[in-house]
Amino acid sequence: MRVIFSIAATTIGEAIRRRVLLVILLVGTLLLAIAPGLQVLSARQERTVLKSFMFGTMQLTSAAIAIILTVYLIPNEIDRRTIYTILCKPVRRWQFLVGKYVGAIGALGMMMALMTFISVILFYVMQRDAPVSELAGIGQVAVMYYVQMCILAAVSITLSTFVAPLVNFFLSGGLYLVGTLFTSVFETFEQNSKTPGLVKTIAHLVGSLLPNFSRFNIQNSAINSVQTIGSETRYYVESGVYGVMYIIATIIVGMLIFEKREV
Amino acid sequence: MWAALAVLFVGQAVWDRVLVEPTYVKNYMPANKAFSAGLSPEQFLFALSGFREMIAGILWVKADSFFETGNYDAILPVIRLVTWLDPHQIDVYATGMWHIGYNFTDEQSRSDRRYIPSAIALGKEGAENNPTTYEMFFETGWIWYHKVDDNYSQAVNWFKKANEREDMIPARRNLLSTALQRDGKIEEALENYYKLLDAAEARFKADSSDYQARSGRDTIEGNLDTMLVRMSQRGYWGSKSNWMNTIPYDTQPPFDVGFSVKVTVPEPRVIRFEGTWGVRPVGTRIRVILRDKDYPMAEPGGMKWDQGTAVNLDPPKDVTFMQDQLYVKNLRFDKTCNLAKDPTMYPFKKDDYEVEFYYNPRSSPPHIQDKFSWNGEGMTDKNFLNTEIRPGTRVMFHKIGLTRDMLLRRGQYSMSGGSLPTVMTTDYIDAGAKGTEDLIDIPSLRSQAPPTAK
């Protein structure tokens, strides 16, 4: 475990020094900072638009960071041949992969925490009459986004064990889009009585195998605060467990592939 | 290892489908149709990339500008799109159903009733998508209560559902009792008032300095008093105890309203309704409906207002349905409906039409109900009393037929030398005056002849 944490700590340090990530973070933060300006759009909808913009910015920025951070983690080590200096020590390949992953989600967590903090402060400044529960709602959404990004990072780092970074970037981005946006499309296929049986089965299989990122998009209830969700905490726990199961399964795939790869 | 991996993948899929998916679909998912219609490419991309609620908000802002410019048709697709993108924006549902139900009118401010089933369907959808708050249940009940203004059992059902929600505003809870009275459930209305009074008393006792709690309690107490007095005066208790023949209740004997009507078509698509109604106090509104004889889902005195869950924002343009009110003044009514300026609302494409005249005492104002009682026990009409079309209620109902030639003044009814299309009830009494004058005749002691000295 000590080995894994050492690698993770190094990875966090590297991530924080990477300019490209810092630029993305800066852009995201700037976007968050201009969010209050959107309030001129409407008196009635200002809270909705403000929150939605904040959540959208946070999600997009985090997804970009998660993908760009992880697609290069393993290939860079191989290209620079620094991996040899690590693997010649008593470090197993799976430990290296897991350490890299833990480091990546650690760095991601720090960056998302910063964006969440900025969002909460901005929202508090702009909406002083908002109840504390709404501020807490921003935190809840951020936590669920974080689990989502951890899955994305797991997918991306697993792909990085056998795919070139550029291909991985588009593959991971594509999977994220499909898993976030097309859930309802798969469900429509499955529920539509006119869909042929074979197509239904394929849609069911694909929908079950691909990561279901949309499960963590809970921002709607935070935006429409009048909406009360029954068993909300239970949902967070259940979707969290789903996320952890998917991450473990994906990382195991990565470990199996990385174990057999020639470096 | 591979076996463990397979178990994990199957496990996550089962876990997701069985435990996570049902809650997600119920509470967080946008409507499937949201991404398939109406968004411009950049809006589509934005909506896809996590800004769904923001796009919905901005679209709704756009709808505001349409409201201001009176471009009502443009608002309909926006309402649909916003509610698909974000099914939890309750004010969009509420404003949308009000807009659909009330704002589409002809040149004489008559609502286009063909939209009401869609307004109700939108309300139902809103309530289904937002089951934890009272608002959409209340708003849907209000459409039934105020706009349909006939099938009060629907209003009662929706208000009951709204009252079950914890966030229901106390002042709005009263409306259930009013709807129950209009639905003929008098004792249930009374019971509800008592229940509300108990709750209001408890609120007031908890904080006697709270002005709202005090006024809330006083209002319910006043409503309760009024209702008890009405129940006594209208003979509600008497009818239960067979005292009706021994005590001169206000509602006995039933009063003959003496309805008669003449319908003429002075110009193409212009219809005049003249007639009599023997109730002197102002406040009578007789519903008049002109529609295709084979109008789909027609019902006596209206139509089947609840037509399912489809929100059809483009009602059929080839059918005609006009509904209006004939206001009675000085014992008569005279109204001319000019339908010529709205050919899309009144296309007159069929050969045969029906005109219905309908009066339901349940919709009457209280001062008239004091004579007719809640269900029309104190009302009759020697020609047109009907106890069948609204079971449990004595209503006035009469139906006459018109043809397309009559309405468009063609053939034998042509404007150049043809006869004036006229249909009237057999006992129609020509009142002579228009009934639209400003002065209202109120018999008083002064206008009567002085008593003769004995």
Side-chain angles (χ1 to χ4, degrees), chain A residues 9-138:
Chain A
T10 316
T11 308
I12 290 174
E14 283 171 15
I16 289 172
R17 284 193 296 274
R18 281 183 66 184
R19 281 185 197 157
V20 63
L21 296 180
L22 293 178
V23 168
I24 295 170
L25 183 64
L26 184 70
V27 170
T29 313
L30 284 176
L31 278 174
L32 285 175
I34 63 158
L38 289 167
Q39 288 184 111
V40 295
L41 287 169
S42 151
R44 193 172 47 198
Q45 294 278 324
E46 62 179 35
R47 197 171 286 187
T48 302
V49 173
L50 177 66
K51 276 191 189 177
S52 178
F53 185 79
M54 281 176 166
F55 291 143
T57 305
M58 200 190 297
Q59 195 179 16
L60 269 189
T61 312
S62 306
I65 291 173
I67 294 173
I68 293 172
L69 176 63
T70 45
V71 290
Y72 287 106
L73 276 183
I74 307 287
N76 270 359
E77 298 282 355
I78 297 172
D79 288 348
R80 290 190 212 137
R81 300 174 195 276
T82 44
I83 194 167
Y84 300 124
T85 58
I86 298 167
L87 294 184
C88 67
K89 291 173 185 164
V91 175
R92 306 282 302 272
R93 284 191 182 199
W94 69 267
Q95 288 174 322
F96 177 73
L97 184 80
V98 173
K100 282 284 178 191
Y101 175 70
V102 173
I105 60 173
L108 188 64
M110 286 162 66
M111 293 177 188
M112 285 185 74
L114 177 69
M115 284 192 283
T116 309
F117 178 72
I118 292 169
S119 299
V120 170
I121 295 293
L122 277 175
F123 187 74
Y124 177 72
V125 170
M126 301 312 298
Q127 305 277 328
R128 281 184 186 272
D129 58 329
V132 180
S133 59
E134 292 208 23
L135 293 172
I138 297 176

Side-chain angles (χ1 to χ4, degrees), chain B residues 263-444:
Chain B
V263 182
T264 52
V265 186
E267 286 173 48
R269 299 170 189 260
V270 178
I271 303 133
R272 184 177 178 191
F273 304 98
E274 300 163 87
T276 58
W277 183 262
V279 179
R280 188 170 291 279
V282 290
T284 297
R285 293 173 301 158
I286 300 164
R287 179 178 291 187
V288 58
I289 293 171
L290 165 65
R291 65 169 168 235
D292 299 347
K293 193 174 181 185
D294 59 349
Y295 190 87
M297 302 219 192
E299 282 183 353
M303 69 164 93
K304 193 172 185 297
W305 303 107
D306 185 354
Q307 296 179 6
T309 53
V311 183
N312 178 14
L313 299 178
D314 193 20
K317 293 283 191 272
D318 54 347
V319 292
T320 300
F321 189 101
M322 185 280 288
Q323 182 178 318
D324 207 340
Q325 311 279 359
L326 304 173
Y327 294 93
V328 176
K329 197 191 283 181
N330 299 336
L331 305 175
R332 53 193 177 263
F333 56 86
D334 182 350
K335 181 156 192 169
T336 301
C337 296
N338 186 346
L339 313 182
K341 293 175 184 168
D342 304 278
T344 53
M345 248 174 97
Y346 314 114
F348 291 115
K349 290 194 173 170
K350 301 290 171 61
D351 288 332
D352 295 299
Y353 296 85
E354 283 176 343
V355 180
E356 288 182 350
F357 300 93
Y358 170 62
Y359 178 80
N360 186 344
R362 285 185 174 177
S363 312
S364 308
H367 67 281
I368 290 179
Q369 278 189 342
D370 283 341
K371 181 65 192 160
F372 291 171
S373 196
W374 286 283
N375 301 317
E377 294 91 338
M379 182 193 96
T380 190
D381 186 293
K382 66 176 182 290
N383 296 314
F384 306 115
L385 180 73
N386 190 307
T387 54
E388 287 166 8
I389 62 166
R390 297 289 184 272
T393 318
R394 292 157 63 87
V395 304
M396 187 285 293
F397 180 73
H398 180 52
K399 183 160 68 175
I400 60 173
L402 291 175
T403 64
R404 192 171 181 221
D405 284 350
M406 287 170 147
L407 290 163
L408 302 186
R409 299 297 305 266
R410 298 189 315 192
Q412 61 171 320
Y413 304 105
S414 144
M415 290 295 285
S416 50
S419 58
L420 176 70
T422 305
V423 182
M424 66 177 92
T425 52
T426 48
D427 61 341
Y428 171 70
I429 305 154
D430 194 346
K434 290 191 75 181
T436 51
E437 58 272 19
D438 291 334
L439 288 177
I440 298 170
D441 297 336
I442 304 174
S444 67

Side-chain angles (χ1 to χ4, degrees), chain B residues 31-53:
Chain B
N32 284 340
K33 291 169 185 165
F35 300 123
S36 61
L39 290 174
S40 64
E42 69 275 13
Q43 287 172 340
F44 180 79
L45 274 176
F46 255 93
L48 283 184
S49 51
F51 294 87
R52 181 158 61 87
E53 291 82 4

Side-chain angles (χ1 to χ4, degrees), chain B residues 70 83 107 167 170 187 193 220 252 287 312 318 333 364 392 439:
Chain B
T83 49
E107 290 287 325
D167 60 343
E187 284 180 46
Y193 270 141
I220 295 168
Q252 294 302 321
R287 179 178 291 187
N312 178 14
D318 54 347
F333 56 86
S364 308
L439 288 177

